Structures are given as C-alpha cells and as structure tokens.
Amino acid sequence: MAVTPSISAAEVMRDAPVIPVIVLHDTKDAVPLARALVAGGIRMLEVTLRTREALECIEIIAKEVPEAVAGAGTIRSAADAQASALAGAKFGVSPGYTRSVGKACHDLGLPLLPGVATGSEIMMAQEDGFTELKFFPAVQAGGLAMLKAWQGPFGEVKFCPTGGVHLGNAPEFLALPNVACVGGSWIVPVEAIAAGDWSRIETLAREACQLAR
Ligand code: 3PG
C-alpha cells in the first residue's frame, strides 16, 4: 500500500509556524478538533499513535475534513508506518530514527519528519535522504543552543523543534535560520479536547499562526 504523495516533508513544515501534537482518546472528537484547527489556520495535523483510537481518528479526518492534512505522529516501527499509510495519513513524524522506519516510509511514499537529538542521528537520517527533521525533545535535549551549534555542520537541515515548546518560547526557536516550524501540544490541550472546547482550540491555533518566522 503506497501513499499517493500529495505533499512533501518541506511543505508540511512550511505550512504554518506550528504543527500540533495531538492526542485523541475518542473518535467523536476527531472532526470537531480538525475543523477548529483548520478554522484557526492550521492544516497539518500530527495525530500521535499513542491511543488505540488514533488510527481511526486519522482515517476519519482524512475522509471528513478535506481541508486538513492528517499525519501520524509517534511512528516507532515499520508496522506503525504501514498502518498509518493505510489509515490515510499523508505524512509521518517519529520521536527517534531507525533505518527500518526510514525504509518503510520511503517504500510507502510517506513523507517523514524523523526525530533526532544527536549529530549521529542527523547523519544517519541524512544518509537515508531526510533533510527535514524533528528535534525531539527540543528543550530537554539542548534547545536553542543545540540548534545554533548544528547550524555549522548541518547547515542544510531544517528542524521542527518539539518538546517543551510553547507560545512563550516559540518565537526564539522560530527566529533561528535552521528552524522551519515548531511542534507542540499547547494548542491542543487535553482538557479542552475532553471538554469539547473547540473555540478555545481555534483561538490557540489562530494565536500560534501569528508567530513570525
Ligand atoms: C511530542 O511528542 O512531540 C511531545 O510530546 C510534544 O511535546 P510537548 O507536549 O512538550 O509540546
């Protein structure tokens, strides 16, 4: 099963300043959440494979919210990549990088933002053809100083720092030349999803879209 490539990893990163890291426990939340994010200006949605409902949520968003681009997050194996593609994910995000995840995504034609936190991981992902990478966990693994240090040896790589990023520190990350966008869960708070507070999520998305790059 191959994904009809409709988007590249670079386009996923360029679309908005923030990629929301979404955790969905209930399939009924998938459509209103996706619509709220789209209304706030965010189309690239990373639905993490951290719940049993995640794949079905991706499938529902892919079918029912065509303005959104549903991707799968927390891809940790080739099987995760295959299941994500089958569910209709248009891109994948992984918390780390392994050759088997990279190969599965290449074979499926699923654009991947591989997670990296060290120079060796960046080199391995680059060797396998990936130049748009997720820096995870960004704040915990060195934050701004790490990204600045990577500008020399890895000047051609664009990063999406994720982990510990929020509205307050996002501008500093987005100001760096090697940062294309950031990722974060702050625009999709679990309590807002549980309460069905879609207008709050739309407001958080709109606010995030105003961040300068
Ligand atoms: C991720 O999986 O990318 C992180 O859990 C997101 O980190 P955050 O919750 O600190 O935004």
Side-chain angles (χ1 to χ4, degrees), residues 20-115:
V21 178
I22 301 167
V23 178
L24 280 168
H25 291 278
D26 195 329
T27 52
K28 76 167 172 26
D29 295 332
V31 167
L33 175 73
R35 288 197 177 131
L37 289 166
V38 169
I42 294 190
R43 303 185 308 146
M44 301 297 145
L45 314 185
E46 177 189 339
V47 179
T48 58
L49 302 184
R50 294 179 201 178
T51 65
R52 267 186 316 187
E53 296 76 15
L55 286 168
E56 198 180 337
C57 289
I58 291 171
E59 200 171 337
I60 292 169
I61 296 170
K63 283 200 186 114
E64 296 187 30
V65 192
E67 321 82 81
V69 179
T74 323
I75 291 185
R76 285 159 299 179
S77 63
D80 281 348
Q82 281 145 10
S84 301
L86 202 60
K90 291 286 182 276
F91 65 94
V93 185
S94 58
Y97 184 68
T98 65
R99 291 238 130 99
S100 66
V101 165
K103 181 175 183 317
C105 290
H106 273 311
D107 291 350
L108 289 159
L110 184 69
L112 176 70
L113 304 182

Side-chain angles (χ1 to χ4, degrees), residues 21 46 48 50 74 95 134 136 140 162-166 183-186:
V21 178
E46 177 189 339
T48 58
R50 294 179 201 178
T74 323
K134 163 172 161 159
F136 178 77
Q140 298 86 338
T162 305
V165 181
H166 50 76
S185 61
W186 88 87

Side-chain angles (χ1 to χ4, degrees), residues 186-208:
W186 88 87
I187 58 173
V188 282
V190 275
E191 69 281 2
I193 296 175
D197 192 350
W198 311 123
S199 66
R200 179 168 169 221
I201 289 173
E202 182 181 331
T203 303
L204 288 166
R206 186 161 291 126
E207 203 173 49

